Amino acid sequence: MLTKADISISEVIASLSSFRVEAGFLVPTPTGLEKSILDAHEDLRIFLAKSGLHYFDHQGQGPENKVKIPANIITESGVIGSFASLYRPNTKSGDPRIWISKLNAHSKPWNLIALFVSNGQLFVFNASDPTVWKSMNNTNSPLYLALMSAGSNYSLVETELLRKLKEIEAAGFVRSTTNAASGVGDTLEKLLGISRNSSKNPDYKGIEIKASRRNNPNQTQRSVLFSMVPNWGISELKNGAEILETYGYLSPATKQVELYVTVKHQPNRQGLFLDLDAKNGLIVNVHQCNGTRKPVVSWKLNELQEELSKKHKQTFWVKAKNRPESGHEYFHYFEVMATASPFVSYFGPLVLSSQISMDYTLSTKLRPSGAPFARDHGYLWKIANNSFESLFPPPRIIDLAKLTI
């Protein structure tokens, strides 16, 4: 049936091979499109099995054994959600059948339909459609991005984001949007077109982005995981103002009461430290003074783990070289460390080993009336940079200058 395709399959194979992509093919007949049923020929069955998507040899006959798997139909301008039905009828010795929902709207009889897999997902496109086929040469098209993703083992979103980061790397040093410590992250977000907001969701289509300076002697070698306020309902102190009033100090620079300190498992100068209450599933900030210990605030361990899992399902840790120039700071973003699916059960033990810590960022501000109030910049949970592989599976290190994508 493939020989009846209305375009040269060898030319399609050559183009797909240039992307390092292996594909399976279908050629719908008029009857197949009319009845929404196509023969799953042997080459296609081998392709599906090799990709790990479906094994017809292990499938029973009859409608009760039908299998549906997610599929994505690529057009010249987008990706349409679909599914593939895979089954063996009770008749004709159970000859394997396949149908891709919505295929009728995107194909004609004798068109060559290509199927390929990227990150475990099935993608489908009509190679006979001139507009779809030509879009393969457009580096911003859905087909190009999907094929690049399939050939490089990057997802579609990863491919899109890495291409943007590569363009940023190629631009060299760029001026920071601010002279504050947050400039390395703020500048990258602006370059990526990400608006500042208070959302706790990942920054870029499901990918969290964290930027940091490389080898800055004034920067502690820790990275922020997330910010989470204490669980006030189970805490001794009930808000940031009480924490500031009890443990804050007078800043010589601002002449205001502040509390900018790191809290680890070992007591700091204020006598504050973190402890794990395994029996009750809590991380507790404890104060120690003259041999006496008392709880300050607490977090539920499972809530910390949930936030870690939600925030860092997939993260790009972007490294930047920095340099001062004419009173401003400039950044050159050059490397990405990509992590995924943290080992949340290690959170508590890493707190006990002081590899995970929490920073208070509290200060006193004055209202227009002159009345003071506590300004809360977050309760920042951080990890030591040399402990990444204790919390995350081995990361992928991506040199943006050498990246081909």
Side-chain angles (χ1 to χ4, degrees):
M1 194 63 66
L2 296 181
T3 58
K4 296 184 178 181
D6 55 11
I7 63 169
S8 169
I9 191 171
S10 60
E11 292 182 11
V12 175
I13 289 174
S15 295
L16 293 176
S17 295
S18 70
F19 284 89
R20 302 187 296 276
V21 169
E22 183 176 7
F25 298 96
L26 288 169
V27 177
T29 65
T31 302
L33 285 179
E34 180 182 351
K35 295 185 176 181
S36 298
I37 183 172
L38 302 174
D39 289 331
H41 55 79
E42 185 177 1
D43 282 348
L44 182 66
R45 298 198 298 271
I46 292 173
F47 164 76
L48 291 172
K50 183 179 179 181
S51 302
L53 290 181
H54 185 68
Y55 300 87
F56 274 107
D57 290 344
H58 301 163
Q59 186 174 13
Q61 293 178 234
E64 66 275 12
N65 292 309
K66 180 184 292 188
V67 173
K68 291 184 178 181
I69 60 174
N72 305 275
I73 298 177
I74 303 174
T75 70
E76 74 279 7
S77 59
V79 178
I80 299 170
S82 176
F83 64 85
S85 296
L86 307 152
Y87 58 100
R88 297 179 60 207
N90 287 317
T91 58
K92 296 185 178 180
S93 302
D95 291 342
R97 301 284 190 264
I98 184 173
W99 179 249
I100 299 165
S101 70
K102 305 178 185 178
L103 184 62
N104 300 59
H106 301 281
S107 66
K108 298 177 181 178
W110 314 119
N111 283 173
L112 182 65
I113 308 301
L115 299 81
F116 65 93
V117 177
S118 176
N119 287 272
Q121 294 188 57
L122 179 64
F123 288 84
V124 181
F125 74 95
N126 187 348
S128 296
D129 185 326
T131 58
V132 176
W133 182 251
K134 290 179 181 178
S135 73
M136 187 184 295
N137 300 316
N138 177 359
T139 58
N140 292 313
S141 73
L143 180 56
Y144 178 90
L145 292 173
L147 290 171
M148 287 298 296
S149 171
S152 65
N153 293 321
Y154 295 123
S155 71
L156 282 174
V157 175
E158 285 178 316
T159 300
E160 181 180 309
L161 180 53
L162 284 170
R163 290 181 67 241
K164 291 186 176 184
L165 289 171
K166 184 171 178 62
E167 292 175 1
I168 292 171
E169 186 282 329
F173 280 90
V174 294
R175 179 172 163 175
S176 176
T177 58
T178 174
N179 288 326
S182 61
V184 65
D186 293 342
T187 304
L188 181 58
E189 288 187 354
K190 182 177 180 181
L191 291 170
L192 290 171
I194 299 173
S195 301
R196 290 182 62 88
N197 58 69
S198 58
S199 172
K200 289 191 174 184
N201 294 324
D203 299 308
Y204 191 93
K205 300 181 180 180
I207 299 178
E208 179 72 5
I209 301 171
K210 294 289 187 182
S212 63
R213 300 165 178 82
R214 186 191 72 170
N215 298 330
N216 184 343
N218 297 319
Q219 183 183 33
T220 304
Q221 296 302 303
R222 297 180 299 145
S223 296
V224 177
L225 293 170
F226 55 85
S227 177
M228 178 179 279
V229 301
N231 189 313
W232 302 118
I234 60 174
S235 296
E236 190 73 17
L237 300 185
K238 299 302 181 182
N239 53 56
E242 291 187 11
I243 298 173
L244 191 58
E245 181 180 353
T246 308
Y247 300 106
Y249 52 82
L250 184 65
S251 168
T254 64
K255 307 301 181 184
Q256 295 176 347
V257 177
E258 298 178 349
L259 186 62
Y260 288 93
V261 296
T262 295
V263 185
K264 300 182 179 181
H265 184 53
Q266 296 86 12
N268 61 15
R269 287 185 296 178
Q270 284 78 17
L272 298 170
F273 68 96
L274 296 175
D275 204 3
L276 172 63
D277 180 352
K279 179 180 179 180
N280 296 301
L282 302 175
I283 298 292
V284 185
N285 175 204
V286 180
H287 180 253
Q288 177 177 282
C289 182
N290 298 324
T292 301
R293 297 185 176 192
K294 60 180 179 179
V296 181
V297 291
S298 300
W299 291 260
K300 290 185 178 181
L301 180 57
N302 69 316
E303 293 177 349
L304 291 166
Q305 292 171 333
E306 288 171 6
E307 184 66 17
L308 173 65
S309 180
K310 175 184 175 182
K311 193 73 171 176
H312 292 289
K313 183 177 181 180
Q314 190 174 15
T315 303
F316 278 14
W317 309 83
V318 184
K319 301 295 182 182
K321 301 172 185 177
N322 66 310
R323 73 182 185 199
E325 185 177 319
S326 303
H328 298 283
E329 189 175 18
Y330 286 75
F331 300 112
H332 180 205
Y333 301 92
F334 70 98
E335 184 182 88
V336 173
M337 179 172 67
T339 60
S341 301
F343 301 125
V344 296
S345 61
Y346 296 158
F347 192 94
L350 287 172
V351 169
L352 289 180
S353 64
S354 289
Q355 298 308 296
I356 289 180
S357 54
M358 187 276 301
D359 283 10
Y360 281 119
T361 58
L362 302 169
S363 62
T364 303
K365 293 296 181 182
L366 297 179
R367 292 188 174 90
S369 64
F373 71 100
R375 185 176 181 184
D376 183 346
H377 298 275
Y379 301 79
L380 307 180
W381 291 88
K382 300 184 178 183
I383 185 169
N385 288 348
N386 60 5
S387 296
F388 265 94
E389 293 193 21
S390 296
L391 189 62
F392 297 94
R396 291 174 293 167
I397 307 300
I398 303 166
D399 185 331
L400 293 172
K402 297 179 180 179
L403 178 65
T404 302
I405 199 166

